[in-house]
Structures are given as C-alpha cells and as structure tokens.
Amino acid sequence: MSLLIKPDGATEEVFPKNGKNYSLRELQGHVEGYIEILQVGEGMIMVINEEGKLKSLPMNRDATKLVRGKLHDFDPGIVGKALLCLDEEVE
C-alpha cells in the first residue's frame, strides 16, 4: 500500500495493479508526468513529477514536510502530487 499525497492536503491509499510493484506507466499516471524518485527514509521513497516546478504545479505542503531537512535540492518544496511508497514497490 502506498499513499498518494495531493497538493490540497487530501490523501489516497493506492496499490500497484499487479499487487506487488508499480510499472513506470502507473507511477507517471499518479504524478501526472515524468517521474523523479527521492529517497526519504530507510526503504521509503517519494515519487514526484520531475517537471513539476517548470509546469508551475501547486505546492504540496504535506509532502514537503516529509522531506524537509532530508533533501536540500527541493527548496522551497515539493509541488504537485507525490506518491510515498516502499522502494521495493517500484520496478
């Protein structure tokens, strides 16, 4: 089970279609574009839209709180939808 964190603060539990791991196409669908993977903890990753800032996607405050202090390249924060999942769930 993974958690899709939306910019408006809503969250949604999501699951890989095959029950085990996400395909690239599924990940791109969740974040609505090309993906970037961030290591956020032991065995945990966050998948975000690689072009989110270029596309002026809205700030995702909840996702930003999860990575604040761990990643310096993402100031002022994460934008767009973010998928928090186990690294083993990504092919």
Side-chain angles (χ1 to χ4, degrees):
M1 192 264 325
S2 304
L3 189 64
L4 185 64
I5 306 165
K6 300 176 184 180
D8 66 1
T11 59
E12 178 184 346
E13 289 183 358
V14 294
F15 302 88
K17 287 183 182 177
N18 69 10
K20 186 176 178 184
N21 50 29
Y22 293 99
S23 68
L24 175 59
R25 185 169 294 233
E26 283 179 279
L27 295 171
Q28 289 173 329
H30 284 306
V31 300
E32 301 173 343
Y34 294 116
I35 67 166
E36 183 167 352
I37 296 177
L38 311 175
Q39 191 74 40
V40 296
E42 187 70 30
M44 293 295 296
I45 60 172
M46 183 179 287
V47 181
I48 62 172
N49 186 314
E50 180 181 60
E51 299 176 320
K53 289 183 182 174
L54 294 173
K55 293 180 175 183
S56 299
L57 295 179
M59 174 69 99
N60 188 325
R61 296 189 192 288
D62 292 334
T64 299
K65 288 177 189 175
L66 292 173
V67 299
R68 182 74 64 206
K70 296 177 186 173
L71 305 169
H72 302 290
D73 294 344
F74 291 92
D75 288 331
I78 302 296
V79 298
K81 294 179 181 178
L83 181 69
L84 186 65
C85 62
L86 297 173
D87 58 4
E88 65 192 36
E89 291 180 303
V90 176
E91 292 183 341

Coordinates of all heavy atoms in Angstrom, one line a residue:
M1 N 0.8 -1.2 0.0 CA 0.0 0.0 0.0 C 0.9 1.2 0.0 O 1.9 1.3 0.7 CB -0.9 0.0 1.2 CG -2.0 1.0 1.2 SD -1.8 2.6 2.1 CE -0.9 2.4 3.5
S2 N 0.5 2.2 -0.8 CA 1.2 3.5 -0.9 C 0.2 4.6 -0.6 O -1.0 4.4 -0.6 CB 1.8 3.6 -2.3 OG 2.6 2.5 -2.6
L3 N 0.8 5.8 -0.4 CA 0.0 6.9 -0.1 C 0.2 8.0 -1.1 O 1.3 8.5 -1.3 CB 0.3 7.5 1.3 CG -0.6 8.5 1.9 CD1 -2.0 8.0 2.1 CD2 0.0 9.1 3.2
L4 N -0.9 8.4 -1.8 CA -0.8 9.5 -2.8 C -1.2 10.8 -2.0 O -2.3 10.9 -1.5 CB -1.8 9.2 -3.9 CG -1.7 10.3 -5.1 CD1 -0.3 10.2 -5.8 CD2 -2.8 10.0 -6.1
I5 N -0.2 11.7 -2.0 CA -0.4 13.0 -1.3 C -0.7 14.0 -2.3 O 0.2 14.3 -3.1 CB 0.8 13.3 -0.4 CG1 1.2 12.1 0.5 CG2 0.6 14.6 0.4 CD1 2.6 12.2 1.1
K6 N -1.8 14.7 -2.2 CA -2.2 15.7 -3.1 C -2.0 17.1 -2.6 O -2.0 17.3 -1.4 CB -3.7 15.5 -3.5 CG -4.0 14.1 -4.1 CD -5.5 13.9 -4.3 CE -5.8 12.5 -4.8 NZ -7.2 12.2 -5.0
P7 N -1.8 18.0 -3.5 CA -1.5 19.4 -3.1 C -2.5 20.0 -2.2 O -2.2 20.9 -1.3 CB -1.3 20.2 -4.4 CG -1.0 19.2 -5.4 CD -1.7 17.9 -5.0
D8 N -3.8 19.6 -2.3 CA -4.8 20.2 -1.5 C -4.9 19.6 -0.1 O -5.8 19.9 0.7 CB -6.2 20.1 -2.2 CG -6.7 18.6 -2.3 OD1 -6.0 17.7 -1.9 OD2 -7.8 18.5 -2.9
G9 N -4.0 18.7 0.3 CA -3.9 18.1 1.6 C -4.7 16.7 1.6 O -4.6 16.0 2.6
A10 N -5.4 16.4 0.6 CA -6.1 15.1 0.6 C -5.1 14.0 0.3 O -4.0 14.2 -0.3 CB -7.1 15.1 -0.5
T11 N -5.4 12.8 0.9 CA -4.5 11.6 0.6 C -5.4 10.5 0.2 O -6.6 10.5 0.4 CB -3.8 11.2 1.9 OG1 -4.7 10.9 2.9 CG2 -2.8 12.3 2.4
E12 N -4.8 9.6 -0.5 CA -5.5 8.4 -1.1 C -4.6 7.2 -1.0 O -3.4 7.3 -1.4 CB -5.9 8.7 -2.5 CG -6.6 7.6 -3.2 CD -6.9 8.0 -4.7 OE1 -6.7 9.1 -5.1 OE2 -7.2 7.0 -5.4
E13 N -5.1 6.1 -0.5 CA -4.3 4.9 -0.5 C -4.4 4.3 -1.9 O -5.5 4.2 -2.5 CB -4.9 3.9 0.5 CG -4.7 4.2 1.9 CD -5.2 3.2 2.9 OE1 -5.8 2.1 2.5 OE2 -5.0 3.3 4.1
V14 N -3.3 3.9 -2.4 CA -3.2 3.3 -3.8 C -2.4 2.1 -3.7 O -1.6 1.9 -2.8 CB -2.7 4.3 -4.8 CG1 -3.6 5.5 -5.0 CG2 -1.3 4.8 -4.5
F15 N -2.6 1.2 -4.7 CA -2.0 -0.1 -4.8 C -1.5 -0.4 -6.2 O -2.2 0.0 -7.1 CB -3.0 -1.2 -4.3 CG -3.5 -1.0 -3.0 CD1 -4.7 -0.3 -2.7 CD2 -2.9 -1.6 -1.9 CE1 -5.2 -0.1 -1.5 CE2 -3.4 -1.4 -0.6 CZ -4.5 -0.7 -0.4
P16 N -0.4 -1.1 -6.3 CA 0.0 -1.4 -7.7 C -1.0 -2.3 -8.3 O -1.6 -3.2 -7.7 CB 1.3 -2.2 -7.5 CG 1.8 -1.9 -6.1 CD 0.5 -1.5 -5.3
K17 N -1.2 -2.2 -9.6 CA -2.2 -3.0 -10.3 C -1.9 -4.5 -10.2 O -2.9 -5.3 -10.1 CB -2.3 -2.6 -11.8 CG -3.0 -1.3 -12.0 CD -3.2 -0.9 -13.4 CE -3.8 0.4 -13.6 NZ -3.9 0.8 -15.0
N18 N -0.7 -4.9 -10.2 CA -0.3 -6.3 -10.1 C -0.2 -6.8 -8.7 O 0.1 -7.9 -8.4 CB 1.0 -6.6 -10.9 CG 2.2 -6.0 -10.3 OD1 2.2 -5.5 -9.1 ND2 3.3 -6.1 -11.0
G19 N -0.5 -5.9 -7.7 CA -0.4 -6.3 -6.3 C 0.9 -6.3 -5.7 O 1.1 -6.5 -4.5
K20 N 2.0 -6.1 -6.5 CA 3.4 -6.2 -6.0 C 4.2 -4.9 -6.2 O 4.8 -4.4 -5.2 CB 4.1 -7.4 -6.6 CG 5.4 -7.6 -6.1 CD 6.0 -8.9 -6.7 CE 7.4 -9.1 -6.1 NZ 8.1 -10.2 -6.7
N21 N 4.3 -4.4 -7.4 CA 5.1 -3.3 -7.7 C 4.5 -2.4 -8.9 O 3.8 -2.9 -9.7 CB 6.6 -3.6 -8.0 CG 6.7 -4.7 -9.0 OD1 5.9 -4.9 -9.9 ND2 7.8 -5.5 -8.9
Y22 N 4.8 -1.2 -8.8 CA 4.3 -0.2 -9.8 C 5.1 -0.3 -11.1 O 6.4 -0.4 -11.1 CB 4.4 1.2 -9.3 CG 3.5 1.5 -8.1 CD1 3.9 1.4 -6.8 CD2 2.1 1.7 -8.3 CE1 3.1 1.7 -5.8 CE2 1.3 1.9 -7.3 CZ 1.8 1.9 -6.0 OH 0.9 2.1 -4.9
S23 N 4.4 -0.2 -12.2 CA 5.1 0.0 -13.5 C 5.4 1.5 -13.7 O 4.8 2.3 -13.0 CB 4.2 -0.5 -14.7 OG 3.1 0.4 -14.8
L24 N 6.3 1.8 -14.6 CA 6.6 3.2 -14.9 C 5.4 4.0 -15.3 O 5.1 5.1 -14.8 CB 7.7 3.3 -16.0 CG 8.0 4.7 -16.5 CD1 8.6 5.5 -15.4 CD2 9.0 4.6 -17.6
R25 N 4.5 3.3 -16.1 CA 3.3 4.0 -16.6 C 2.4 4.3 -15.4 O 1.8 5.4 -15.4 CB 2.6 3.1 -17.6 CG 1.4 3.7 -18.2 CD 0.9 2.9 -19.3 NE 1.9 3.0 -20.4 CZ 1.7 3.3 -21.6 NH1 0.5 3.6 -22.0 NH2 2.7 3.4 -22.5
E26 N 2.3 3.4 -14.4 CA 1.4 3.7 -13.3 C 2.0 4.9 -12.5 O 1.2 5.7 -12.0 CB 1.4 2.5 -12.3 CG 0.5 1.3 -12.8 CD 0.6 0.2 -11.8 OE1 1.5 -0.6 -11.9 OE2 -0.3 0.1 -11.0
L27 N 3.3 4.9 -12.2 CA 3.9 6.0 -11.5 C 3.7 7.3 -12.2 O 3.3 8.3 -11.6 CB 5.4 5.7 -11.3 CG 5.8 4.5 -10.4 CD1 7.3 4.2 -10.5 CD2 5.3 4.7 -9.0
Q28 N 3.9 7.3 -13.5 CA 3.7 8.5 -14.3 C 2.2 9.0 -14.2 O 1.9 10.2 -14.1 CB 4.0 8.3 -15.7 CG 5.5 8.2 -15.9 CD 5.9 7.8 -17.3 OE1 5.2 7.1 -18.0 NE2 7.1 8.3 -17.8
G29 N 1.3 8.0 -14.1 CA -0.1 8.4 -14.0 C -0.4 9.0 -12.7 O -1.2 10.0 -12.6
H30 N 0.2 8.5 -11.6 CA -0.1 9.0 -10.3 C 0.4 10.5 -10.1 O -0.2 11.3 -9.5 CB 0.5 8.1 -9.2 CG -0.2 6.9 -8.9 ND1 -1.6 6.8 -8.7 CD2 0.2 5.6 -9.0 CE1 -2.0 5.6 -8.5 NE2 -1.0 4.8 -8.7
V31 N 1.6 10.7 -10.7 CA 2.2 12.1 -10.5 C 1.9 13.0 -11.7 O 2.4 14.1 -11.8 CB 3.7 12.1 -10.1 CG1 3.9 11.3 -8.8 CG2 4.5 11.5 -11.2
E32 N 1.2 12.4 -12.7 CA 0.8 13.2 -13.9 C 2.0 13.7 -14.7 O 2.0 14.9 -15.1 CB -0.1 14.3 -13.5 CG -1.4 13.8 -12.9 CD -2.3 14.8 -12.3 OE1 -1.9 16.0 -12.1 OE2 -3.5 14.4 -12.0
G33 N 3.0 12.9 -15.0 CA 4.1 13.3 -15.8 C 5.4 12.4 -15.5 O 5.3 11.4 -14.9
Y34 N 6.5 12.9 -16.1 CA 7.8 12.2 -15.9 C 8.0 12.1 -14.4 O 7.7 13.0 -13.6 CB 8.9 12.9 -16.6 CG 8.8 12.9 -18.1 CD1 8.6 14.1 -18.8 CD2 8.8 11.7 -18.8 CE1 8.5 14.1 -20.2 CE2 8.7 11.7 -20.2 CZ 8.6 12.9 -20.8 OH 8.4 12.9 -22.2
I35 N 8.7 11.0 -14.0 CA 8.9 10.8 -12.5 C 10.3 11.2 -12.1 O 11.3 11.1 -12.9 CB 8.6 9.4 -12.1 CG1 9.6 8.4 -12.7 CG2 7.1 9.0 -12.4 CD1 9.5 7.0 -12.1
E36 N 10.4 11.5 -10.8 CA 11.7 11.7 -10.1 C 11.5 10.9 -8.8 O 10.4 11.1 -8.2 CB 12.0 13.1 -9.9 CG 13.3 13.3 -9.2 CD 13.8 14.7 -9.2 OE1 13.2 15.6 -9.9 OE2 14.8 15.0 -8.6
I37 N 12.5 10.2 -8.4 CA 12.4 9.4 -7.2 C 13.3 9.9 -6.1 O 14.5 10.2 -6.4 CB 12.7 7.9 -7.5 CG1 11.7 7.3 -8.4 CG2 12.8 7.1 -6.2 CD1 11.9 5.9 -8.8
L38 N 12.7 10.2 -5.0 CA 13.5 10.7 -3.8 C 13.6 9.7 -2.7 O 12.5 9.1 -2.4 CB 12.8 12.0 -3.3 CG 12.4 13.0 -4.3 CD1 11.6 14.1 -3.5 CD2 13.6 13.6 -5.0
Q39 N 14.8 9.5 -2.2 CA 14.9 8.6 -1.0 C 14.6 9.4 0.2 O 15.3 10.4 0.5 CB 16.3 8.0 -1.0 CG 16.5 6.9 0.0 CD 15.9 5.6 -0.5 OE1 16.0 5.3 -1.7 NE2 15.3 4.9 0.4
V40 N 13.5 9.0 0.9 CA 13.1 9.8 2.1 C 13.3 9.1 3.4 O 13.1 9.7 4.4 CB 11.7 10.3 2.0 CG1 11.5 11.2 0.8 CG2 10.7 9.1 1.9
G41 N 13.7 7.9 3.4 CA 14.0 7.1 4.6 C 14.4 5.7 4.3 O 14.5 5.3 3.2
E42 N 14.7 5.0 5.3 CA 15.1 3.6 5.2 C 14.0 2.8 4.5 O 13.0 2.5 5.0 CB 15.4 3.0 6.6 CG 16.0 1.6 6.5 CD 17.4 1.6 6.0 OE1 18.2 2.6 6.2 OE2 17.8 0.6 5.4
G43 N 14.3 2.5 3.2 CA 13.3 1.7 2.4 C 12.1 2.4 1.9 O 11.2 1.9 1.3
M44 N 12.0 3.8 2.2 CA 10.9 4.6 1.7 C 11.3 5.6 0.6 O 12.4 6.2 0.8 CB 10.3 5.4 2.9 CG 9.6 4.5 3.9 SD 8.2 3.7 3.4 CE 7.1 5.0 2.9
I45 N 10.5 5.7 -0.4 CA 10.8 6.7 -1.4 C 9.6 7.5 -1.7 O 8.4 7.2 -1.3 CB 11.2 6.0 -2.8 CG1 10.1 5.1 -3.3 CG2 12.5 5.2 -2.6 CD1 10.3 4.5 -4.6
M46 N 9.8 8.7 -2.3 CA 8.7 9.5 -2.7 C 8.9 9.7 -4.2 O 10.0 10.1 -4.7 CB 8.7 10.9 -2.0 CG 7.6 11.8 -2.4 SD 7.6 13.3 -1.5 CE 7.2 12.8 0.2
V47 N 7.8 9.5 -5.0 CA 7.8 9.7 -6.4 C 7.1 11.0 -6.7 O 6.0 11.2 -6.2 CB 7.1 8.5 -7.1 CG1 7.2 8.7 -8.6 CG2 7.8 7.2 -6.8
I48 N 7.8 11.9 -7.4 CA 7.2 13.2 -7.7 C 7.3 13.5 -9.2 O 8.0 12.8 -9.9 CB 7.9 14.4 -6.9 CG1 9.4 14.5 -7.3 CG2 7.7 14.2 -5.4 CD1 10.1 15.7 -6.8
N49 N 6.6 14.5 -9.7 CA 6.7 14.9 -11.1 C 8.0 15.7 -11.3 O 8.2 16.7 -10.7 CB 5.5 15.8 -11.4 CG 5.4 16.2 -12.9 OD1 6.4 16.6 -13.5 ND2 4.2 16.1 -13.4
E50 N 8.8 15.1 -12.2 CA 10.2 15.7 -12.4 C 10.1 17.2 -13.0 O 11.0 18.0 -12.7 CB 10.9 14.8 -13.5 CG 12.3 15.3 -13.8 CD 12.9 14.4 -14.8 OE1 12.3 14.3 -16.0 OE2 14.0 13.9 -14.5
E51 N 9.0 17.5 -13.7 CA 8.9 18.8 -14.3 C 7.9 19.7 -13.5 O 7.4 20.7 -14.0 CB 8.4 18.7 -15.7 CG 9.4 17.9 -16.6 CD 8.9 17.7 -18.0 OE1 7.7 17.4 -18.2 OE2 9.8 17.8 -18.9
G52 N 7.6 19.3 -12.3 CA 6.5 20.0 -11.5 C 6.7 21.5 -11.4 O 5.8 22.3 -11.6
K53 N 8.0 21.9 -11.1 CA 8.2 23.3 -10.9 C 8.2 24.0 -12.2 O 7.7 25.2 -12.3 CB 9.5 23.5 -10.2 CG 9.4 23.1 -8.7 CD 10.7 23.4 -8.0 CE 10.5 22.9 -6.5 NZ 11.7 23.0 -5.8
L54 N 8.7 23.4 -13.3 CA 8.6 24.0 -14.6 C 7.2 24.2 -15.1 O 6.9 25.2 -15.8 CB 9.4 23.1 -15.6 CG 10.9 23.0 -15.5 CD1 11.4 22.0 -16.4 CD2 11.6 24.3 -15.7
K55 N 6.3 23.3 -14.7 CA 4.9 23.4 -15.0 C 4.1 24.2 -14.1 O 2.9 24.3 -14.2 CB 4.3 22.0 -15.2 CG 4.9 21.2 -16.3 CD 4.3 19.8 -16.4 CE 4.8 19.1 -17.6 NZ 4.1 17.8 -17.7
S56 N 4.7 24.8 -13.1 CA 4.1 25.6 -12.0 C 3.0 24.9 -11.3 O 1.9 25.4 -11.1 CB 3.6 26.9 -12.6 OG 4.6 27.7 -13.2
L57 N 3.2 23.6 -11.0 CA 2.2 22.8 -10.2 C 2.1 23.4 -8.8 O 3.1 24.0 -8.3 CB 2.6 21.3 -10.2 CG 2.7 20.6 -11.5 CD1 3.1 19.1 -11.3 CD2 1.3 20.7 -12.2
P58 N 1.0 23.2 -8.2 CA 0.8 23.8 -6.9 C 1.7 23.2 -5.8 O 2.0 22.0 -5.9 CB -0.7 23.5 -6.5 CG -1.1 22.4 -7.5 CD -0.2 22.5 -8.6
M59 N 2.0 23.9 -4.8 CA 2.8 23.5 -3.7 C 2.1 22.4 -2.9 O 0.9 22.4 -2.7 CB 3.1 24.6 -2.7 CG 3.8 24.2 -1.4 SD 5.5 23.8 -1.8 CE 6.3 25.3 -1.3
N60 N 2.9 21.4 -2.6 CA 2.4 20.2 -1.8 C 3.0 20.3 -0.4 O 4.1 19.8 -0.1 CB 2.7 18.9 -2.5 CG 2.0 17.7 -1.8 OD1 1.8 17.7 -0.6 ND2 1.6 16.8 -2.6
R61 N 2.3 21.0 0.5 CA 2.9 21.2 1.9 C 3.1 20.0 2.7 O 4.1 19.8 3.4 CB 2.0 22.2 2.6 CG 2.0 23.6 2.0 CD 1.3 24.6 2.8 NE 1.0 25.8 2.1 CZ 1.9 26.7 1.7 NH1 3.1 26.5 1.9 NH2 1.5 27.8 1.0
D62 N 2.2 19.0 2.6 CA 2.3 17.8 3.4 C 3.5 17.0 2.9 O 4.2 16.4 3.7 CB 1.0 17.0 3.3 CG -0.1 17.7 4.1 OD1 0.2 18.5 5.0 OD2 -1.3 17.4 3.7
A63 N 3.7 16.8 1.6 CA 4.8 16.1 1.0 C 6.1 16.8 1.4 O 7.1 16.2 1.7 CB 4.7 15.9 -0.5
T64 N 6.1 18.1 1.3 CA 7.3 18.9 1.7 C 7.7 18.7 3.1 O 8.9 18.5 3.4 CB 7.0 20.4 1.4 OG1 6.8 20.6 0.0 CG2 8.2 21.2 1.8
K65 N 6.7 18.6 4.0 CA 7.0 18.4 5.4 C 7.8 17.0 5.6 O 8.6 16.9 6.5 CB 5.8 18.4 6.3 CG 5.2 19.7 6.5 CD 3.9 19.6 7.2 CE 3.1 20.9 7.3 NZ 1.8 20.8 7.9
L66 N 7.4 16.0 4.8 CA 8.0 14.7 4.9 C 9.5 14.7 4.5 O 10.3 13.9 4.9 CB 7.2 13.7 4.1 CG 5.9 13.4 4.6 CD1 5.1 12.5 3.7 CD2 5.9 12.7 6.0
V67 N 9.9 15.6 3.6 CA 11.3 15.6 3.1 C 12.1 16.8 3.6 O 13.3 16.8 3.4 CB 11.3 15.6 1.5 CG1 10.7 14.4 1.0 CG2 10.7 16.9 1.0
R68 N 11.5 17.7 4.3 CA 12.2 18.9 4.8 C 13.3 18.5 5.7 O 13.2 17.6 6.6 CB 11.2 19.8 5.6 CG 11.8 21.1 6.1 CD 12.1 22.2 5.1 NE 10.9 22.7 4.5 CZ 10.9 23.2 3.3 NH1 12.0 23.3 2.6 NH2 9.8 23.6 2.8
G69 N 14.5 19.0 5.5 CA 15.7 18.7 6.3 C 16.4 17.5 5.8 O 17.6 17.2 6.1
K70 N 15.8 16.7 4.9 CA 16.4 15.5 4.4 C 17.0 15.7 3.0 O 18.0 15.1 2.6 CB 15.4 14.3 4.3 CG 14.9 13.9 5.6 CD 13.9 12.8 5.5 CE 13.3 12.5 6.8 NZ 12.2 11.6 6.7
L71 N 16.4 16.6 2.2 CA 16.7 16.9 0.9 C 16.9 18.4 0.7 O 15.9 19.1 0.9 CB 15.7 16.3 -0.1 CG 15.4 14.9 0.0 CD1 14.1 14.5 -0.8 CD2 16.5 14.0 -0.4
H72 N 18.0 18.8 0.3 CA 18.3 20.3 0.1 C 17.9 20.8 -1.2 O 17.7 22.0 -1.4 CB 19.7 20.6 0.4 CG 20.1 20.1 1.8 ND1 19.6 20.7 3.0 CD2 20.9 19.1 2.2 CE1 20.1 20.1 4.0 NE2 20.9 19.1 3.6
D73 N 17.8 19.9 -2.2 CA 17.5 20.4 -3.6 C 16.1 20.7 -3.8 O 15.7 21.2 -4.9 CB 17.9 19.3 -4.6 CG 19.4 19.0 -4.6 OD1 20.1 19.8 -4.1 OD2 19.8 18.0 -5.1
F74 N 15.2 20.5 -2.8 CA 13.8 20.7 -3.0 C 13.2 21.9 -2.3 O 12.1 21.9 -1.9 CB 13.0 19.4 -2.8 CG 13.4 18.4 -3.8 CD1 14.4 17.5 -3.6 CD2 12.7 18.4 -5.0 CE1 14.8 16.6 -4.6 CE2 13.1 17.5 -6.0 CZ 14.1 16.6 -5.8
D75 N 14.1 22.9 -2.1 CA 13.6 24.1 -1.5 C 13.0 25.0 -2.6 O 13.6 25.0 -3.7 CB 14.7 24.9 -0.8 CG 15.1 24.2 0.5 OD1 14.2 23.5 1.1 OD2 16.3 24.3 0.9
P76 N 11.9 25.6 -2.6 CA 11.1 25.8 -1.3 C 10.2 24.6 -1.0 O 9.7 24.5 0.1 CB 10.3 27.0 -1.6 CG 10.0 26.9 -3.1 CD 11.3 26.4 -3.7
G77 N 10.1 23.6 -1.9 CA 9.3 22.4 -1.5 C 8.9 21.6 -2.7 O 9.2 21.8 -3.9
I78 N 8.1 20.5 -2.4 CA 7.6 19.6 -3.4 C 6.3 20.2 -4.0 O 5.5 20.8 -3.3 CB 7.2 18.3 -2.7 CG1 8.4 17.7 -2.0 CG2 6.6 17.3 -3.7 CD1 9.6 17.3 -2.9
V79 N 6.2 20.1 -5.3 CA 5.0 20.5 -6.0 C 4.3 19.4 -6.6 O 4.9 18.4 -7.0 CB 5.3 21.7 -7.0 CG1 5.9 22.9 -6.3 CG2 6.2 21.1 -8.1
G80 N 3.0 19.5 -6.8 CA 2.2 18.5 -7.5 C 1.9 17.3 -6.6 O 2.2 17.4 -5.4
K81 N 1.4 16.3 -7.1 CA 1.1 15.0 -6.4 C 2.4 14.3 -6.1 O 3.3 14.3 -6.8 CB 0.2 14.1 -7.2 CG -1.2 14.7 -7.4 CD -2.1 13.8 -8.2 CE -3.4 14.3 -8.5 NZ -4.2 13.4 -9.3
A82 N 2.4 13.6 -4.9 CA 3.6 12.8 -4.5 C 3.1 11.5 -4.0 O 2.1 11.4 -3.3 CB 4.3 13.6 -3.4
L83 N 3.8 10.4 -4.5 CA 3.5 9.1 -4.1 C 4.5 8.6 -3.1 O 5.7 8.5 -3.4 CB 3.4 8.2 -5.3 CG 3.0 6.7 -5.0 CD1 1.6 6.6 -4.6 CD2 3.3 5.8 -6.2
L84 N 4.1 8.3 -1.9 CA 5.0 7.8 -0.8 C 4.8 6.3 -0.8 O 3.7 5.8 -0.6 CB 4.6 8.4 0.5 CG 5.6 8.1 1.7 CD1 7.0 8.6 1.4 CD2 5.0 8.6 3.0
C85 N 5.9 5.5 -1.0 CA 5.8 4.1 -1.1 C 7.2 3.4 -0.7 O 8.2 4.1 -0.5 CB 5.4 3.6 -2.4 SG 6.5 4.0 -3.8
L86 N 7.1 2.1 -0.5 CA 8.3 1.4 -0.3 C 9.2 1.3 -1.5 O 8.6 1.2 -2.6 CB 8.0 -0.1 0.2 CG 7.2 -0.2 1.5 CD1 6.8 -1.6 1.7 CD2 8.0 0.3 2.7
D87 N 10.5 1.3 -1.4 CA 11.3 1.3 -2.6 C 11.1 0.0 -3.3 O 11.3 -0.1 -4.6 CB 12.8 1.6 -2.3 CG 13.4 0.7 -1.3 OD1 12.8 -0.3 -0.8 OD2 14.6 1.0 -1.0
E88 N 10.8 -1.1 -2.7 CA 10.6 -2.4 -3.3 C 9.3 -2.4 -4.2 O 9.1 -3.4 -4.9 CB 10.6 -3.5 -2.3 CG 9.4 -3.4 -1.3 CD 9.6 -4.3 -0.1 OE1 10.7 -4.5 0.4 OE2 8.5 -4.9 0.3
E89 N 8.5 -1.4 -4.0 CA 7.2 -1.4 -4.8 C 7.5 -0.8 -6.2 O 6.5 -0.7 -7.0 CB 6.2 -0.6 -4.1 CG 5.6 -1.3 -2.9 CD 4.6 -0.5 -2.2 OE1 4.8 0.7 -1.8 OE2 3.4 -1.0 -2.0
V90 N 8.7 -0.3 -6.5 CA 9.0 0.3 -7.8 C 9.9 -0.6 -8.6 O 10.9 -1.1 -8.1 CB 9.6 1.7 -7.6 CG1 10.0 2.3 -8.9 CG2 8.7 2.6 -6.9
E91 N 9.5 -1.0 -9.8 CA 10.2 -1.9 -10.7 C 11.6 -1.3 -11.0 O 11.7 -0.1 -11.3 CB 9.5 -2.2 -12.0 CG 8.3 -3.0 -11.8 CD 7.6 -3.3 -13.1 OE1 7.8 -2.7 -14.1 OE2 6.8 -4.3 -13.1

